[in-house]
């Protein structure tokens, strides 16, 4: 029997994350040294929107402080579509990036590259890269914390802004949005602008968010295909549930048809 209370959410670590009292135990990935150093740095800078690291267990799991609040998982609840949540999540992401000022990763530390920005530029931040609804803690309709940083990696700020908009927008065809339990009439142009404005992206960087969206859609599809090809059960099951290759073809066509409108909406 698994010790503690299993916590729902996630695909790769499904069933492996448990709560025991005020602590959460979860598998520590290969990049945990870098991630733990980052979490310690931002919390020392006054940012409380990430878990506090309590240590490593003898079995290799990491122990983190539990953050109370609600976490949306599919089928998503109605409050997941609130514009207030969207705006607060963008503000939370900005605070996370700003709190990284002066951060230096420990010698030999590594970051995951699977969802990383391919063009991080000369002055990157450490992007969460996966700020989806399942990785947000919400209290009273406000996003208060980011969870699960195993895919964190250096990148441009706009890379994370695009990822947040892609998940929370969401940037998907209406039929896909509805299948996840969300409102199919959500306006992607308006919601993208809300994210970009709330974060404070300015000038030419605003259009760069749309470029990042396109790259991430291709990258995300390749990520899932690799997992399915490797036979990982959770990803195989998800692949079948979401409609397989047709899901990603439909998303690509949807984005191509709306790309100009998304750019114009940020002008």
């Amino acid at each position: 029997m698994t010790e503690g209370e299993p916590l729902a959410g996630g695909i790769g670590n499904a069933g492996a994350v448990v709560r025991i009292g005020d602590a959460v135990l979860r598998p520590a990935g290969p990049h945990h040294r870098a991630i733990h150093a980052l979490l310690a740095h931002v919390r020392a800078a006054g940012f409380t929107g990430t878990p506090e690291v309590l240590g490593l267990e003898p079995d290799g799991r990491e122990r983190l402080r539990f953050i109370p609040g609600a976490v949306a998982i599919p089928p998503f609840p109605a409050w997941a579509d609130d514009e207030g949540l969207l705006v607060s999540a963008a503000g939370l992401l900005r605070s996370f990036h700003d709190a990284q000022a002066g951060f230096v990763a420990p010698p030999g530390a590594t970051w995951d590259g699977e969802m990383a920005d391919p063009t991080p530029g000369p002055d990157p931040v450490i992007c969460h890269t996966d700020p989806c609804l399942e990785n947000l803690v919400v209290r009273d309709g406000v996003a208060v914390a980011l969870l699960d940083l195993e895919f964190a990696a250096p990148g441009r700020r706009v890379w994370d802004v695009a990822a947040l908009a892609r998940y929370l927008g969401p940037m998907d065809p209406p039929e896909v949005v509805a299948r996840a339990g969300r409102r199919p009439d959500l306006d992607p142009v308006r919601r993208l602008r809300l994210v970009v404005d709330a974060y404070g992206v300015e000038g030419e960087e605003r259009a760069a968010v749309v470029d990042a969206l396109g790259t991430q859609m291709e990258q995300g599809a390749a990520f899932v295909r690799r997992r399915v090809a490797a036979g990982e059960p959770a990803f195989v099951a998800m692949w079948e549930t979401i409609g397989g290759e047709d899901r990603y073809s439909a998303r690509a066509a949807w984005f191509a048809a709306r790309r100009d409108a998304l750019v114009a909406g940020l002008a």
Side-chain angles (χ1 to χ4, degrees):
M1 180 179 294
T2 302
E3 62 173 325
E5 171 195 352
L7 298 179
I11 298 174
N13 288 323
V17 182
V18 298
R19 176 186 177 187
I20 302 177
D22 70 344
V24 172
L25 273 65
R26 48 171 286 138
H31 313 289
H32 72 268
R33 287 185 62 245
I35 296 168
H36 288 184
L38 175 65
L39 295 178
H41 178 92
V42 297
R43 291 188 64 84
F47 179 72
T48 59
T50 49
E52 177 187 359
V53 179
L54 301 177
L56 289 173
E57 297 295 294
D59 61 8
R61 289 181 296 175
E62 60 184 3
R63 180 180 286 266
L64 309 171
R65 182 86 64 190
F66 176 75
I67 300 176
V71 175
I73 57 175
F76 294 113
W79 55 259
D81 294 332
D82 289 348
E83 289 188 351
L85 174 58
L86 190 69
V87 169
S88 68
L92 178 70
L93 187 67
R94 175 65 185 256
S95 296
F96 170 60
H97 291 163
D98 289 349
Q100 296 178 27
F103 172 69
V104 178
T110 60
W111 304 98
D112 191 272
E114 288 204 279
M115 292 196 286
D117 185 353
T119 55
D123 189 27
V125 294
I126 304 302
C127 293
H128 185 289
T129 78
D130 193 27
C132 57
L133 283 167
E134 298 95 317
N135 288 338
L136 282 177
V137 179
V138 179
R139 289 200 292 267
D140 298 324
V142 175
V144 297
L146 292 158
L147 305 176
D148 298 354
L149 279 82
E150 65 242 57
F151 295 113
R156 296 164 294 156
R157 288 173 177 252
V158 296
W159 185 257
D160 245 4
V161 174
L164 183 72
R166 182 164 59 93
Y167 287 121
L168 270 64
M171 299 294 132
D172 254 326
E175 61 273 15
V176 174
V177 175
R179 193 157 55 234
R182 304 188 64 185
R183 285 174 43 199
D185 62 339
L186 294 172
D187 181 353
V189 175
R190 173 178 171 80
R191 289 175 70 85
L192 176 61
R193 182 164 189 144
L194 283 171
V195 169
V196 170
D197 286 349
Y199 184 93
V201 182
E202 299 179 346
E204 295 179 355
E205 293 293 279
R206 293 170 74 87
V209 173
V210 181
D211 292 336
L213 275 172
T215 302
Q216 287 178 11
M217 288 179 181
E218 296 173 0
Q219 189 184 63
F223 171 85
V224 175
R225 291 188 193 106
R226 286 194 299 272
R227 294 296 198 280
V228 173
E232 296 187 24
F235 283 90
V236 171
M238 183 190 75
W239 180 262
E240 295 172 352
T241 300
I242 66 175
E245 196 63 52
D246 289 345
R247 155 74 178 273
Y248 296 103
S249 298
R251 172 184 283 170
W254 177 91
F255 179 72
R258 286 156 184 80
R259 182 186 180 95
D260 290 347
L262 292 170
V263 172
L266 297 179

